[in-house]
Amino acid sequence: MRITEEQSRLLAICMVKGVSWYLVAREAQRPTGLARLWSGNIIESSPEATKARALIANSAHELDRYVESAVQQAELAASNGARLVTVLDKEYPATLRLIFNLPPFLFVRGELREADLRSVAVVGTRQASEDGLRRARRMSGLLTERQVTVVSGLARGVDTAAHTAALDTGGRTIAVVGTGILRCYPAENRALADRIAENGAVVSQFWPEANGATYTFPRRNVTMSGIAQGTVVIEAASTSGAKMQARLALEHGKRVFLLRSLTEAQPWAQEYVKTRGALMVDDVDDVVKSLSSPDRIQAVNESRAQLTLDFEDLKLEEPSPGALW
């Protein structure tokens, strides 16, 4: 699969140091957005946009070179079994389009299907207890039995248990990783990643050879929240990345499901249920009944696309996504 000119230009803009990738993704989806980005003409009114205008203008003489580098990155990924999907492409996950801080591109090993729009992230601590691992396996297995795709982050602990249970029950699972698509962290999960790519998808929002860093895993949580309809937190302390993802999911207008065992044990979980709109759940049916169909997600996307066109004439920012339900 060859990279298109539009895709290469999108990636080239992402190579301009200091430009917000989230801004690039938002702007590129607007009518004539990519062409305007290329010339530094950005409609959005925000500090990120002001900064990007200057940076793109100052880098205009470098853009052609960045295009060449973008093609090389895409070809490197392709030679290792991964393909490029951008916000310009129909294959880009509709669930992910509904958040304001979406990545402009993904590298994907495996296959993303429309049925994966009916998905739930199952997350929790890397240092999970035996009870936590058991609950993660049970939740993930029951979700896949109900034709729900399980999303997680390929980390040790709860993530590994969730992915493995989904595969063992014959279901689909998506791993959203915090490294480039050609890297694997933790290294011991490489065989699991290969298995996921054969029965779902491994997804990265970073350059193919990027190593994990302190900033990549929080960004991974943003995308993991966005690509799923909701997030189930199995077991997590107040400093856990799983708690961060619960907060992000609520900001995205997604559902957050906290197991009763977690809610009874963690003050932060109690506060999320009482004041932030998270739902305490006892079993998988409490999760599944809140999910929307893939057709519903696509309809919401089409509605927002029309809003973008309407607001474009007024030179206003696109409305925030709000809740899906």
Side-chain angles (χ1 to χ4, degrees), residues 35-292:
R36 287 187 289 96
L37 273 169
W38 191 255
S39 64
N41 177 17
I42 299 171
I43 284 181
E44 182 174 307
S45 176
S46 67
E48 289 178 334
T50 300
K51 180 180 179 182
R53 289 187 193 97
L55 290 171
I56 293 172
N58 292 337
S59 301
H61 63 291
E62 297 278 10
L63 289 178
D64 288 340
R65 181 170 64 85
Y66 291 160
V67 166
E68 294 178 5
S69 296
V71 172
Q72 292 171 0
Q73 292 290 320
E75 290 177 346
L76 174 63
S79 67
N80 286 274
R83 63 191 181 91
L84 173 67
V85 178
T86 78
V87 291
L88 305 173
D89 306 322
K90 291 182 180 179
E91 296 86 353
Y92 193 90
T95 38
L96 197 50
R97 289 191 190 277
L98 295 172
I99 68 172
F100 62 92
N101 45 359
L102 68 169
F105 63 85
L106 304 169
F107 286 102
V108 181
R109 289 179 60 212
E111 181 185 9
L112 292 172
R113 299 178 181 173
E114 185 171 0
D116 294 330
L117 297 179
R118 192 167 183 263
S119 58
V120 170
V122 178
V123 300
T125 179
R126 290 173 171 81
Q127 293 81 36
S129 67
E130 285 301 318
D131 281 343
L133 294 175
R134 176 180 56 80
R135 292 179 180 121
R137 288 191 291 265
R138 176 172 171 78
M139 175 61 70
S140 184
L142 290 173
L143 284 169
T144 57
E145 287 179 2
R146 289 158 174 79
Q147 288 73 56
V148 177
T149 298
V150 171
V151 179
S152 203
L154 200 67
R156 297 183 181 98
V158 167
D159 290 16
T160 295
H163 287 306
T164 303
L167 294 170
D168 287 348
T169 52
R172 285 184 58 77
T173 185
I174 296 172
V176 183
V177 298
T179 66
I181 200 70
L182 305 187
R183 302 284 186 244
C184 184
Y185 182 85
E188 66 261 26
N189 273 356
R190 185 171 297 278
L192 177 59
D194 292 341
R195 191 179 171 200
I196 292 169
E198 293 175 358
N199 300 276
V202 180
V203 175
S204 170
Q205 67 200 82
F206 306 105
W207 301 119
E209 295 185 296
N211 292 314
T214 55
Y215 72 91
T216 63
F217 293 99
R219 288 190 186 181
R220 180 273 311 271
N221 285 100
V222 172
T223 299
M224 202 193 321
S225 165
I227 210 168
Q229 286 195 36
T231 291
V232 179
V233 184
I234 303 294
E235 187 176 59
S238 60
T239 57
S240 171
K243 178 194 173 184
M244 174 197 297
Q245 182 161 327
R247 173 180 58 79
L248 290 166
L250 291 171
E251 292 174 357
H252 290 156
K254 307 293 183 84
R255 296 292 194 195
V256 171
F257 309 98
L258 306 179
L259 293 194
R260 181 177 294 276
S261 56
L262 170 69
T263 306
E264 291 176 346
Q266 290 288 338
W268 76 262
Q270 297 167 18
E271 191 261 334
Y272 271 42
V273 169
K274 290 179 181 178
T275 67
R276 299 199 182 191
L279 302 175
M280 182 172 65
V281 297
D282 291 302
D283 59 43
V284 69
D285 290 332
D286 292 336
V287 176
V288 173
K289 69 184 181 183
S290 296
L291 301 182
S292 295

